Amino acid sequence: MLLIGLGDDGCNRFYCPTCPYEFKINGVLMYDRKKLARKEVDDVLGGEGAWENVDQTAAQCPIDSCGNNKAYFFQLQIRSADEPMTTFYKCVKCSHQWREN
């Protein structure tokens, strides 16, 4: 497999990445740039609407200065079926988010 690249002397060249083969291309300027479109990624945790219509529970906020004991929560199965569900929390007072298990 030959690749095209710029040599040490500033000329384009064909070269092999696994062996020392190199063939200089003289007198021809070559370049090609492609802007690849980024694929849109789905938010697996629900995105902006993840915290709409969720329940509250008694949970101590891990932020010491907050001291609140109420949090919104929802559960997702993010690991294999024989593992417990992961619980996601959001403090009612300071909006800090954390998860357990």
Side-chain angles (χ1 to χ4, degrees):
M1 177 175 80
L2 293 178
L3 302 175
I4 298 174
L6 200 59
D8 296 334
D9 58 354
C11 292
N12 289 320
R13 64 187 173 108
F14 288 115
Y15 70 95
C16 177
T18 57
C19 73
Y21 177 77
E22 182 177 297
F23 179 80
K24 291 185 181 183
I25 306 170
N26 294 324
V28 179
L29 276 173
M30 296 186 309
Y31 63 92
D32 187 29
R33 289 189 183 185
K34 292 182 182 176
K35 180 124 177 129
L36 300 176
R38 287 202 160 273
K39 188 169 95 174
E40 289 193 28
V41 178
D42 294 333
D43 189 353
V44 294
L45 299 179
E48 294 291 325
W51 294 103
E52 294 175 3
N53 301 322
V54 293
D55 295 327
Q56 287 187 20
T57 187
Q60 183 67 37
C61 181
I63 305 296
D64 293 332
S65 61
C66 178
N68 194 19
N69 61 356
K70 288 257 185 201
Y72 301 112
F73 79 99
F74 67 93
Q75 292 182 322
L76 284 177
Q77 186 73 37
I78 60 173
R79 295 185 301 259
S80 62
D82 62 342
E83 298 288 328
M85 294 180 78
T86 302
T87 306
F88 293 88
Y89 294 99
K90 181 178 180 181
C91 180
V92 173
K93 183 178 175 185
C94 69
S95 298
H96 175 71
Q97 296 181 20
W98 71 98
R99 69 180 188 185
E100 289 181 1
N101 207 350

XYZ file of all heavy atoms in Angstrom:
807
model
N 0.849 -1.162 0.000
C 0.000 0.000 0.000
C 0.900 1.233 0.000
O 1.722 1.404 0.898
C -0.875 -0.018 1.246
C -1.747 1.201 1.352
S -2.895 1.151 2.721
C -1.832 1.602 4.060
N 0.760 2.070 -0.990
C 1.557 3.290 -1.075
C 0.737 4.480 -0.613
O -0.442 4.611 -0.929
C 2.039 3.519 -2.500
C 3.039 2.510 -3.031
C 3.381 2.830 -4.471
C 4.288 2.495 -2.184
N 1.383 5.338 0.123
C 0.762 6.569 0.592
C 1.429 7.747 -0.087
O 2.563 7.655 -0.538
C 0.908 6.685 2.108
C 0.325 5.550 2.935
C 0.654 5.764 4.409
C -1.163 5.452 2.748
N 0.717 8.856 -0.152
C 1.276 10.083 -0.722
C 1.573 11.022 0.436
O 0.742 11.234 1.309
C 0.298 10.754 -1.707
C 0.009 9.822 -2.873
C 0.853 12.068 -2.201
C -1.044 10.339 -3.820
N 2.772 11.584 0.429
C 3.142 12.503 1.488
C 4.220 13.456 1.031
O 4.761 13.351 -0.071
N 4.539 14.385 1.876
C 5.559 15.378 1.597
C 6.890 14.860 2.120
O 6.999 14.441 3.271
C 5.194 16.693 2.289
C 5.844 17.959 1.783
C 5.524 18.173 0.311
C 5.361 19.147 2.583
N 7.900 14.872 1.257
C 9.223 14.389 1.645
C 10.010 15.426 2.416
O 9.563 16.556 2.627
N 11.217 15.062 2.834
C 12.077 15.972 3.589
C 12.515 17.170 2.768
O 12.785 18.241 3.304
C 13.323 15.223 4.089
C 12.955 14.122 5.072
O 11.895 14.249 5.726
O 13.721 13.154 5.176
N 12.594 17.000 1.454
C 13.034 18.086 0.575
C 11.886 18.964 0.088
O 12.076 19.859 -0.720
C 13.795 17.511 -0.621
C 12.957 16.515 -1.417
O 11.824 16.196 -0.975
O 13.433 16.056 -2.462
N 10.652 18.737 0.542
C 9.509 19.563 0.160
C 8.770 19.054 -1.059
O 7.772 19.649 -1.450
N 9.226 17.990 -1.700
C 8.551 17.411 -2.867
C 7.592 16.318 -2.405
O 7.823 15.647 -1.408
C 9.572 16.803 -3.832
S 10.618 18.012 -4.629
N 6.525 16.142 -3.178
C 5.606 15.050 -2.899
C 6.273 13.727 -3.231
O 7.167 13.651 -4.074
C 4.327 15.204 -3.714
C 3.469 16.350 -3.215
O 3.344 16.540 -2.027
N 2.892 17.106 -4.134
N 5.819 12.665 -2.586
C 6.413 11.361 -2.814
C 5.395 10.273 -2.528
O 4.458 10.457 -1.758
C 7.619 11.158 -1.906
C 7.250 11.135 -0.434
C 8.455 11.104 0.466
N 8.037 11.252 1.851
C 8.070 10.265 2.742
N 8.534 9.094 2.402
N 7.670 10.473 3.968
N 5.556 9.151 -3.196
C 4.874 7.928 -2.814
C 5.792 7.217 -1.840
O 6.996 7.135 -2.082
C 4.642 7.007 -4.029
C 3.592 7.510 -4.978
C 3.926 7.888 -6.263
C 2.263 7.572 -4.598
C 2.967 8.334 -7.149
C 1.299 8.016 -5.469
C 1.651 8.403 -6.758
N 5.250 6.680 -0.762
C 6.088 5.946 0.170
C 5.301 4.794 0.780
O 4.071 4.811 0.831
C 6.650 6.851 1.268
C 5.618 7.346 2.257
C 5.404 6.687 3.464
C 4.869 8.484 1.997
C 4.468 7.137 4.362
C 3.930 8.937 2.887
C 3.730 8.265 4.065
O 2.791 8.705 4.948
N 6.044 3.808 1.207
C 5.467 2.647 1.860
C 5.687 2.792 3.364
O 6.806 3.030 3.800
C 6.125 1.365 1.347
S 5.497 -0.107 2.178
N 4.633 2.659 4.173
C 4.801 2.829 5.609
C 5.502 1.654 6.302
O 5.931 1.775 7.440
C 3.370 2.990 6.138
C 2.508 2.344 5.123
C 3.221 2.477 3.811
N 5.645 0.521 5.616
C 6.259 -0.641 6.264
C 7.660 -0.954 5.758
O 8.356 -1.768 6.353
C 5.381 -1.890 6.070
O 5.192 -2.117 4.677
C 4.042 -1.696 6.746
N 8.059 -0.347 4.651
C 9.405 -0.589 4.145
C 10.016 0.740 3.699
O 9.324 1.747 3.656
C 9.384 -1.599 2.993
S 8.715 -0.961 1.452
N 11.277 0.777 3.344
C 11.916 2.058 3.002
C 11.645 2.545 1.570
O 12.271 3.499 1.137
C 13.400 1.777 3.219
C 13.553 0.323 3.058
C 12.271 -0.289 3.515
N 10.708 1.947 0.828
C 10.465 2.363 -0.554
C 9.950 3.794 -0.593
O 9.084 4.194 0.177
C 9.442 1.449 -1.225
C 9.115 1.882 -2.634
C 9.989 1.616 -3.677
C 7.945 2.574 -2.908
C 9.700 2.016 -4.968
C 7.647 2.980 -4.187
C 8.533 2.705 -5.226
O 8.239 3.108 -6.495
N 10.486 4.572 -1.536
C 10.079 5.959 -1.722
C 10.256 6.325 -3.187
O 11.271 6.018 -3.798
C 10.943 6.871 -0.849
C 10.562 8.325 -0.927
C 11.396 9.170 0.012
O 11.311 8.956 1.233
O 12.138 10.021 -0.501
N 9.237 6.987 -3.792
C 9.317 7.430 -5.174
C 8.930 8.902 -5.206
O 7.805 9.273 -4.863
C 8.372 6.613 -6.058
C 8.390 7.029 -7.493
C 9.407 6.607 -8.331
C 7.395 7.845 -8.005
C 9.429 6.997 -9.672
C 7.416 8.240 -9.326
C 8.429 7.809 -10.167
N 9.867 9.761 -5.601
C 9.612 11.199 -5.628
C 8.756 11.564 -6.833
O 8.938 11.042 -7.926
C 10.923 11.975 -5.675
C 11.695 11.879 -4.393
C 12.908 12.750 -4.418
C 13.654 12.602 -3.105
N 14.795 13.474 -3.027
N 7.822 12.475 -6.621
C 6.967 12.984 -7.688
C 7.410 14.421 -7.939
O 7.140 15.318 -7.141
C 5.486 12.956 -7.275
C 5.082 11.553 -6.819
C 4.606 13.414 -8.409
C 3.726 11.489 -6.169
N 8.089 14.651 -9.048
C 8.632 15.975 -9.351
C 7.699 16.746 -10.271
O 7.103 16.197 -11.188
C 10.002 15.851 -10.028
C 11.034 15.263 -9.096
O 11.015 15.536 -7.897
N 11.922 14.452 -9.635
N 7.593 18.038 -10.052
C 6.875 18.931 -10.953
C 5.373 18.930 -10.790
O 4.687 19.625 -11.531
N 4.816 18.192 -9.884
C 3.365 18.136 -9.715
C 3.032 18.471 -8.263
O 3.558 17.861 -7.341
C 2.816 16.721 -10.051
C 1.319 16.676 -9.841
C 3.170 16.332 -11.466
N 2.183 19.473 -8.076
C 1.694 19.790 -6.744
C 0.376 19.060 -6.540
O -0.522 19.160 -7.354
C 1.460 21.282 -6.580
C 2.670 22.114 -6.208
C 2.322 23.591 -6.248
C 3.158 21.741 -4.835
N 0.288 18.317 -5.488
C -0.935 17.566 -5.211
C -1.388 17.882 -3.795
O -0.591 17.914 -2.871
C -0.670 16.059 -5.318
C -0.291 15.631 -6.695
S -0.150 13.868 -6.863
C 0.910 13.405 -5.544
N -2.651 18.121 -3.671
C -3.236 18.239 -2.353
C -4.716 17.952 -2.469
O -5.330 18.123 -3.514
C -2.997 19.608 -1.714
C -3.623 20.753 -2.448
C -4.891 21.187 -2.119
C -2.941 21.425 -3.446
C -5.471 22.238 -2.784
C -3.507 22.482 -4.117
C -4.778 22.889 -3.782
O -5.344 23.930 -4.448
N -5.271 17.462 -1.419
C -6.684 17.132 -1.383
C -7.147 17.224 0.052
O -6.608 16.545 0.924
C -6.906 15.717 -1.926
C -8.380 15.390 -2.078
O -9.172 16.311 -2.303
O -8.725 14.213 -1.967
N -8.098 18.081 0.299
C -8.654 18.207 1.641
C -10.142 17.948 1.566
O -10.821 18.442 0.681
C -8.424 19.599 2.206
C -7.004 19.852 2.540
C -6.870 21.129 3.277
N -5.459 21.369 3.505
C -4.986 22.348 4.201
N -5.806 23.213 4.749
N -3.695 22.498 4.376
N -10.602 17.197 2.497
C -12.028 16.911 2.573
C -12.504 17.237 3.977
O -11.881 16.850 4.955
C -12.300 15.434 2.291
C -12.007 15.050 0.871
C -12.344 13.611 0.629
C -11.984 13.274 -0.804
N -12.185 11.873 -1.103
N -13.562 17.971 4.050
C -14.178 18.268 5.339
C -15.260 17.221 5.551
O -16.235 17.171 4.824
C -14.776 19.663 5.338
C -15.434 20.037 6.619
C -14.844 21.292 7.161
C -15.606 21.665 8.411
N -14.730 21.918 9.491
N -15.044 16.373 6.523
C -15.989 15.305 6.797
C -17.073 15.806 7.736
O -16.790 16.489 8.726
C -15.274 14.109 7.418
C -14.175 13.506 6.556
C -13.462 12.391 7.319
C -14.750 12.972 5.269
N -18.285 15.453 7.422
C -19.410 15.849 8.265
C -19.420 14.992 9.523
O -19.232 13.780 9.461
C -20.714 15.683 7.497
N -19.618 15.635 10.642
C -19.670 14.890 11.900
C -21.028 14.206 12.027
O -22.063 14.783 11.728
C -19.473 15.819 13.082
C -18.045 16.282 13.219
C -17.853 16.709 14.664
N -16.503 16.743 15.078
C -15.827 15.718 15.565
N -16.384 14.554 15.655
N -14.587 15.839 15.958
N -20.971 12.988 12.484
C -22.179 12.227 12.686
C -22.868 12.719 13.949
O -22.220 12.966 14.963
C -21.805 10.754 12.817
C -22.974 9.826 12.853
C -22.507 8.396 12.719
C -22.351 7.774 14.064
N -22.034 6.362 14.032
N -24.184 12.872 13.880
C -24.916 13.298 15.059
C -25.003 12.136 16.033
O -25.268 11.001 15.650
C -26.314 13.772 14.683
C -26.297 15.095 13.950
C -27.680 15.697 13.857
O -28.508 15.426 14.750
O -27.914 16.421 12.902
N -24.769 12.438 17.293
C -24.760 11.421 18.326
C -26.010 11.591 19.182
O -26.323 12.687 19.635
C -23.489 11.546 19.197
C -23.490 10.515 20.298
C -22.261 11.420 18.341
N -26.725 10.496 19.374
C -27.901 10.528 20.234
C -27.463 10.540 21.688
O -26.534 9.839 22.071
C -28.782 9.304 19.990
C -29.389 9.297 18.600
O -29.560 10.390 18.036
O -29.694 8.198 18.104
N -28.143 11.330 22.483
C -27.863 11.360 23.911
C -28.588 10.185 24.555
O -29.820 10.152 24.604
C -28.326 12.681 24.513
C -27.861 12.868 25.937
O -27.288 11.913 26.501
O -28.065 13.959 26.478
N -27.837 9.208 25.013
C -28.445 7.990 25.550
C -29.147 8.223 26.882
O -29.954 7.410 27.303
C -27.396 6.858 25.716
C -26.878 6.429 24.379
C -26.291 7.279 26.630
N -28.852 9.322 27.551
C -29.492 9.606 28.826
C -30.710 10.510 28.679
O -31.251 10.982 29.671
C -28.491 10.234 29.799
C -27.288 9.365 30.129
C -26.368 10.091 31.073
C -27.726 8.047 30.710
N -31.149 10.796 27.470
C -32.380 11.547 27.284
C -32.209 13.003 26.921
O -33.177 13.667 26.603
N -31.020 13.548 26.990
C -30.769 14.934 26.588
C -31.444 15.941 27.504
O -31.501 15.779 28.724
N -31.980 16.993 26.900
C -32.585 18.090 27.667
C -33.820 17.633 28.439
O -34.089 18.094 29.525
C -32.974 19.234 26.717
C -31.794 19.913 26.062
C -30.982 20.712 27.061
O -31.573 21.287 27.990
O -29.752 20.749 26.906
N -34.580 16.723 27.871
C -35.831 16.303 28.508
C -35.682 15.162 29.489
O -36.679 14.596 29.934
N -34.473 14.800 29.858
C -34.271 13.659 30.751
C -34.838 13.900 32.136
O -35.299 12.964 32.791
C -32.785 13.329 30.854
N -34.831 15.130 32.598
C -35.267 15.414 33.966
C -36.706 15.901 34.040
O -37.180 16.301 35.096
C -34.321 16.423 34.615
C -32.956 15.857 34.794
C -31.856 16.110 34.039
C -32.554 14.897 35.773
N -30.791 15.384 34.476
C -31.187 14.620 35.544
C -33.197 14.245 36.810
C -30.473 13.725 36.325
C -32.475 13.356 37.579
C -31.140 13.113 37.341
N -37.437 15.869 32.921
C -38.846 16.250 32.946
C -39.666 15.061 33.435
O -39.409 13.917 33.073
C -39.321 16.658 31.548
C -38.651 17.911 31.036
C -39.041 18.234 29.610
O -39.879 17.513 29.043
O -38.491 19.192 29.065
N -40.646 15.312 34.249
C -41.565 14.290 34.763
C -40.859 13.163 35.507
O -41.173 11.984 35.317
C -42.415 13.710 33.627
C -43.223 14.764 32.928
O -43.737 15.676 33.563
N -43.336 14.658 31.616
N -39.876 13.499 36.326
C -39.206 12.481 37.135
C -39.658 12.629 38.584
O -40.154 13.671 39.006
C -37.663 12.591 37.036
C -37.189 12.258 35.652
C -37.170 13.941 37.470
N -39.487 11.581 39.352
C -39.913 11.565 40.749
C -38.820 12.108 41.661
O -37.663 12.191 41.281
C -40.245 10.131 41.164
C -41.442 9.582 40.405
O -42.351 10.379 40.083
O -41.461 8.366 40.139
N -39.229 12.435 42.890
C -38.289 12.875 43.910
C -38.119 11.771 44.940
O -39.010 10.958 45.151
C -38.795 14.126 44.622
C -38.723 15.377 43.812
C -39.085 16.588 44.652
O -39.023 16.550 45.876
N -39.476 17.656 43.999
N -36.974 11.748 45.566
C -36.709 10.795 46.629
C -35.829 11.448 47.676
O -35.261 12.510 47.446
C -36.029 9.515 46.076
O -35.945 8.554 47.128
C -34.652 9.816 45.528
N -35.721 10.795 48.804
C -34.830 11.287 49.857
C -33.428 10.786 49.554
O -33.169 9.584 49.553
C -35.284 10.780 51.209
N -32.527 11.703 49.208
C -31.129 11.362 48.924
C -30.274 12.542 49.334
O -30.581 13.692 49.012
C -30.940 11.054 47.446
N -29.207 12.266 50.042
C -28.304 13.317 50.530
C -27.439 13.822 49.388
O -26.753 13.047 48.729
C -27.427 12.774 51.652
C -26.513 13.799 52.281
C -27.287 14.871 53.048
O -28.286 14.595 53.683
N -26.825 16.096 52.955
N -27.442 15.134 49.162
C -26.601 15.740 48.128
C -25.129 15.605 48.537
O -24.777 15.915 49.678
C -26.968 17.201 47.931
S -26.013 18.039 46.658
N -24.236 15.148 47.623
C -22.834 14.974 47.993
C -22.061 16.279 48.163
O -20.944 16.277 48.672
C -22.263 14.147 46.840
C -23.166 14.391 45.699
C -24.512 14.668 46.265
N -22.638 17.403 47.780
C -21.990 18.699 47.968
C -22.195 19.128 49.428
O -23.324 19.275 49.886
C -22.578 19.769 47.006
C -22.501 19.305 45.560
C -21.895 21.114 47.207
C -21.101 19.127 45.044
N -21.102 19.305 50.154
C -21.186 19.612 51.588
C -21.884 20.939 51.866
O -22.627 21.058 52.826
C -19.792 19.625 52.212
C -19.164 18.242 52.230
O -19.928 17.249 52.270
O -17.925 18.160 52.192
N -21.656 21.934 51.015
C -22.239 23.254 51.267
C -23.740 23.280 50.975
O -24.436 24.170 51.435
C -21.527 24.309 50.423
O -21.681 24.017 49.047
N -24.248 22.326 50.248
C -25.677 22.293 49.902
C -26.497 21.779 51.080
O -27.409 22.446 51.551
C -25.911 21.429 48.669
S -27.653 21.277 48.200
N -26.222 20.569 51.529
C -26.916 20.010 52.677
C -28.356 19.605 52.421
O -29.094 19.303 53.355
N -28.791 19.571 51.198
C -30.164 19.208 50.864
C -30.336 17.694 50.929
O -29.405 16.937 50.707
C -30.509 19.729 49.461
C -31.989 19.685 49.185
O -32.798 19.615 50.096
N -32.341 19.726 47.917
N -31.555 17.245 51.230
C -31.800 15.807 51.288
C -32.924 15.358 50.359
O -33.535 14.332 50.579
C -32.089 15.368 52.731
C -33.322 16.036 53.291
O -33.934 16.871 52.648
N -33.683 15.676 54.511
N -33.209 16.123 49.333
C -34.196 15.747 48.311
C -33.527 15.797 46.948
O -32.744 16.692 46.645
C -35.375 16.724 48.307
C -36.278 16.596 49.482
C -37.510 15.874 49.051
C -38.483 15.856 50.227
N -39.440 14.807 50.092
N -33.851 14.813 46.098
C -33.259 14.766 44.762
C -34.249 14.150 43.781
O -35.063 13.299 44.153
C -31.975 13.954 44.772
N -34.179 14.600 42.538
C -34.906 13.947 41.458
C -34.109 12.709 41.077
O -32.889 12.664 41.237
C -35.010 14.856 40.235
C -35.701 16.169 40.489
C -34.990 17.358 40.432
C -37.049 16.231 40.771
C -35.608 18.577 40.651
C -37.682 17.435 41.000
C -36.963 18.606 40.932
O -37.575 19.800 41.152
N -34.776 11.682 40.554
C -34.036 10.495 40.160
C -34.723 9.777 39.000
O -35.928 9.920 38.787
C -33.873 9.526 41.344
C -35.096 8.695 41.628
C -35.177 7.394 41.162
C -36.155 9.209 42.356
C -36.301 6.630 41.417
C -37.267 8.459 42.617
C -37.348 7.160 42.151
N -33.929 9.033 38.226
C -34.451 8.064 37.267
C -33.437 6.948 37.152
O -32.279 7.105 37.498
C -34.785 8.691 35.907
C -33.611 9.202 35.127
C -32.974 8.393 34.198
C -33.155 10.506 35.291
C -31.906 8.874 33.469
C -32.088 10.982 34.563
C -31.459 10.159 33.640
N -33.907 5.783 36.686
C -33.053 4.613 36.598
C -32.956 4.126 35.162
O -33.931 4.161 34.422
C -33.601 3.480 37.472
C -33.530 3.777 38.940
C -34.038 2.618 39.768
O -34.995 1.960 39.410
N -33.378 2.361 40.883
N -31.747 3.678 34.794
C -31.497 3.112 33.472
C -30.692 1.830 33.612
O -29.830 1.724 34.485
C -30.694 4.074 32.601
C -31.401 5.266 31.994
C -30.416 6.132 31.236
C -32.507 4.823 31.074
N -30.954 0.900 32.718
C -30.158 -0.324 32.645
C -29.050 -0.070 31.633
O -29.257 -0.180 30.440
C -31.032 -1.505 32.208
C -30.332 -2.827 32.255
C -30.144 -3.315 33.683
O -31.004 -3.127 34.523
N -29.012 -3.939 33.947
N -27.846 0.327 32.099
C -26.767 0.675 31.175
C -25.722 -0.416 31.061
O -24.843 -0.335 30.222
C -26.096 2.015 31.569
C -25.505 1.955 32.957
C -27.063 3.162 31.440
C -24.695 3.181 33.333
N -25.812 -1.444 31.913
C -24.889 -2.571 31.823
C -25.688 -3.813 31.450
O -26.851 -3.731 31.076
C -24.159 -2.745 33.156
C -23.256 -1.572 33.474
C -22.462 -1.841 34.738
N -23.307 -2.077 35.880
C -23.581 -1.179 36.821
N -23.065 0.016 36.739
N -24.344 -1.466 37.838
N -25.079 -4.968 31.560
C -25.761 -6.199 31.178
C -26.946 -6.468 32.104
O -27.068 -5.889 33.182
C -24.783 -7.375 31.205
O -24.296 -7.563 32.510
N -27.808 -7.362 31.671
C -29.068 -7.598 32.382
C -28.871 -8.186 33.772
O -29.736 -8.030 34.640
C -29.964 -8.513 31.554
N -27.761 -8.865 34.020
C -27.552 -9.445 35.342
C -26.926 -8.462 36.328
O -26.673 -8.800 37.474
C -26.719 -10.718 35.250
C -25.331 -10.475 34.681
O -25.132 -9.427 34.051
O -24.454 -11.343 34.870
N -26.675 -7.234 35.899
C -26.159 -6.170 36.770
C -27.329 -5.287 37.215
O -28.335 -5.172 36.523
C -25.144 -5.309 36.024
C -23.917 -6.048 35.565
C -22.996 -6.412 36.712
O -22.944 -5.655 37.703
O -22.346 -7.462 36.625
N -27.222 -4.642 38.374
C -28.318 -3.768 38.822
C -28.419 -2.503 37.969
O -27.487 -2.110 37.281
C -27.925 -3.418 40.256
C -26.448 -3.598 40.308
C -26.127 -4.703 39.344
N -29.593 -1.883 38.043
C -29.822 -0.650 37.293
C -29.006 0.484 37.904
O -28.723 0.490 39.096
C -31.307 -0.287 37.297
C -32.168 -1.284 36.559
S -33.896 -0.836 36.580
C -33.910 0.425 35.339
N -28.646 1.472 37.083
C -27.935 2.653 37.546
C -28.960 3.740 37.848
O -29.840 4.006 37.028
C -26.937 3.132 36.491
O -26.034 2.068 36.198
C -26.168 4.345 36.975
N -28.841 4.343 39.013
C -29.753 5.410 39.415
C -29.045 6.745 39.254
O -27.954 6.945 39.775
C -30.198 5.226 40.883
O -30.745 3.923 41.045
C -31.236 6.260 41.265
N -29.677 7.656 38.522
C -29.152 9.000 38.292
C -29.935 9.965 39.172
O -31.162 9.917 39.232
C -29.303 9.394 36.822
C -28.443 8.576 35.908
C -28.913 7.376 35.389
C -27.171 8.995 35.567
C -28.121 6.619 34.548
C -26.375 8.247 34.734
C -26.852 7.046 34.223
N -29.205 10.843 39.882
C -29.811 11.808 40.799
C -29.478 13.230 40.364
O -28.432 13.480 39.784
C -29.274 11.610 42.222
C -29.653 10.301 42.860
C -28.768 9.233 42.869
C -30.886 10.149 43.454
C -29.110 8.031 43.471
C -31.238 8.947 44.065
C -30.351 7.904 44.058
O -30.685 6.717 44.644
N -30.385 14.152 40.718
C -30.159 15.589 40.518
C -30.734 16.307 41.728
O -31.921 16.160 42.038
C -30.838 16.074 39.234
C -30.623 17.550 38.955
C -31.284 17.940 37.643
C -31.094 19.384 37.328
N -31.755 19.751 36.063
N -29.886 17.047 42.419
C -30.301 17.741 43.637
C -31.386 18.773 43.311
O -31.279 19.514 42.333
C -29.094 18.417 44.289
S -29.511 19.308 45.797
N -32.409 18.807 44.151
C -33.507 19.756 43.954
C -33.038 21.183 44.181
O -33.449 22.109 43.487
C -34.682 19.404 44.902
C -35.762 20.464 44.858
C -35.242 18.039 44.562
N -32.119 21.373 45.136
C -31.684 22.719 45.519
C -30.573 23.268 44.615
O -30.699 24.349 44.055
C -31.202 22.680 46.976
C -30.796 24.013 47.535
C -30.396 23.864 48.994
C -29.873 25.159 49.561
N -29.390 24.968 50.942
N -29.471 22.513 44.448
C -28.309 23.062 43.733
C -28.117 22.479 42.327
O -27.192 22.861 41.622
C -27.025 22.839 44.543
S -26.515 21.115 44.663
N -28.957 21.545 41.920
C -28.932 20.921 40.589
C -27.657 20.102 40.307
O -27.356 19.830 39.157
C -29.126 21.960 39.481
O -30.374 22.565 39.610
N -26.926 19.725 41.350
C -25.759 18.846 41.156
C -26.251 17.459 40.752
O -27.227 16.952 41.279
C -24.945 18.767 42.452
C -23.808 17.813 42.373
N -22.690 18.062 41.625
C -23.634 16.583 42.922
C -21.852 17.040 41.731
N -22.407 16.125 42.514
N -25.557 16.847 39.778
C -25.955 15.528 39.292
C -24.919 14.480 39.691
O -23.736 14.743 39.628
C -26.115 15.544 37.777
C -27.210 16.455 37.301
C -27.361 16.432 35.788
O -26.934 15.502 35.130
N -27.975 17.462 35.259
N -25.385 13.295 40.073
C -24.498 12.187 40.381
C -25.256 10.895 40.095
O -26.441 10.895 39.817
C -24.011 12.266 41.828
C -25.017 11.964 42.891
C -25.190 10.780 43.543
C -25.974 12.861 43.464
N -26.187 10.876 44.472
C -26.687 12.153 44.444
C -26.318 14.186 43.245
C -27.712 12.720 45.199
C -27.311 14.752 43.985
C -27.998 14.032 44.946
N -24.530 9.797 40.158
C -25.158 8.504 39.931
C -24.635 7.480 40.931
O -23.547 7.633 41.485
C -24.919 8.018 38.501
C -23.493 7.640 38.215
C -23.378 7.170 36.791
N -22.040 6.631 36.575
C -21.584 6.232 35.428
N -22.349 6.296 34.381
N -20.374 5.756 35.325
N -25.413 6.458 41.128
C -25.029 5.386 42.034
C -25.252 4.051 41.353
O -26.252 3.850 40.677
C -25.860 5.439 43.322
C -25.496 6.596 44.205
C -26.296 6.630 45.485
O -27.133 5.730 45.696
O -26.094 7.572 46.262
N -24.264 3.161 41.540
C -24.284 1.800 41.033
C -24.395 1.816 39.542
O -24.993 1.151 38.847
C -25.386 1.004 41.702
C -25.073 -0.469 41.725
O -24.147 -0.927 41.097
N -25.870 -1.193 42.449
